[in-house]
Amino acid sequence: MLILTRQSKGKSRGVLPASFGILALAALVSGCLAARQPKSMNAVPWLTLGLKLPGFAQEGPVVTYNTTNIFDYIDGEAELYLPNGFVELKTTGFRKENGGPLLAADFYDMTGEKGARAVFRRFAEQVKGTKIQGLGDEAFTDGLMLRMRRGRFFIRILPSDSASEKVYPKPEDLVLLARRIDAALDRY
């Protein structure tokens, strides 16, 4: 942006330096904010490529749902996600390396932090649980399922429906997997 004012004895005086300063500050701020969260779930390679999280092995494929087929995965809850900016859901299974029940990890891309916050708060109001400090932007568990918000993502960790065994996870295993996911998101 170049804005010049009147000329004085052959020299232009204007707001050019101020314009550059404002642009530089805007670029710095947006760069710092963008560095904290992935631009899309495809920018999280361990999710799409099947890399391991420390202490956990990914089991099964990464299944993707979008606005047209989300009802195939969550019948009855899609009405909460869609008006809050839902774009995509990726889900996969994780199991502790030393055994234990299969856990499903659901990653909802809610377009922006506002949508993820709205979904998280709705569950926090409806489900009695324990708040977990230092995990994502906000997190809580009811002992069977853990819900976490991190930037534009709403993340659920729960016993897998596809697991043949009906062994429920220890609450500390839910938290441990959530911490590994949270740390992995820091890298992207």
Side-chain angles (χ1 to χ4, degrees), residues 99-167:
L102 183 63
L103 300 173
D106 299 343
F107 301 83
Y108 295 81
D109 184 344
M110 301 303 299
T111 307
E113 189 173 331
K114 183 178 177 183
R117 184 182 300 115
V119 170
F120 180 88
R121 295 259 164 90
R122 181 75 166 284
F123 282 113
E125 291 168 1
Q126 293 177 347
V127 178
K128 293 185 193 277
T130 303
K131 190 174 184 177
I132 303 168
Q133 297 295 326
L135 183 57
D137 295 323
E138 305 180 85
F140 78 95
T141 183
D142 61 4
L144 185 61
M145 183 185 304
L146 185 141
R147 294 168 178 94
M148 175 172 75
R149 179 181 69 80
R150 171 75 184 268
R152 68 190 279 157
F153 300 113
F154 173 73
I155 301 165
R156 293 188 321 173
I157 301 171
L158 62 158
S160 174
D161 285 340
S162 64
S164 58
E165 73 273 7
K166 289 298 176 195
V167 178

Side-chain angles (χ1 to χ4, degrees), residues 27-47:
L28 178 65
V29 169
S30 68
C32 290
L33 293 175
R36 173 80 170 122
Q37 100 179 315
K39 297 200 182 339
S40 76
M41 283 202 258
N42 292 328
V44 184
W46 58 264
L47 184 57

Side-chain angles (χ1 to χ4, degrees), residues 37-77:
Q37 100 179 315
K39 297 200 182 339
S40 76
M41 283 202 258
N42 292 328
V44 184
W46 58 264
L47 184 57
T48 56
L49 298 177
L51 300 176
K52 289 176 26 175
L53 298 173
F56 289 88
Q58 187 174 335
E59 286 191 20
V62 175
V63 181
T64 302
Y65 297 91
N66 57 37
T67 57
T68 59
N69 67 356
I70 185 68
F71 293 98
D72 295 342
Y73 186 69
I74 52 169
D75 186 25
E77 286 183 358

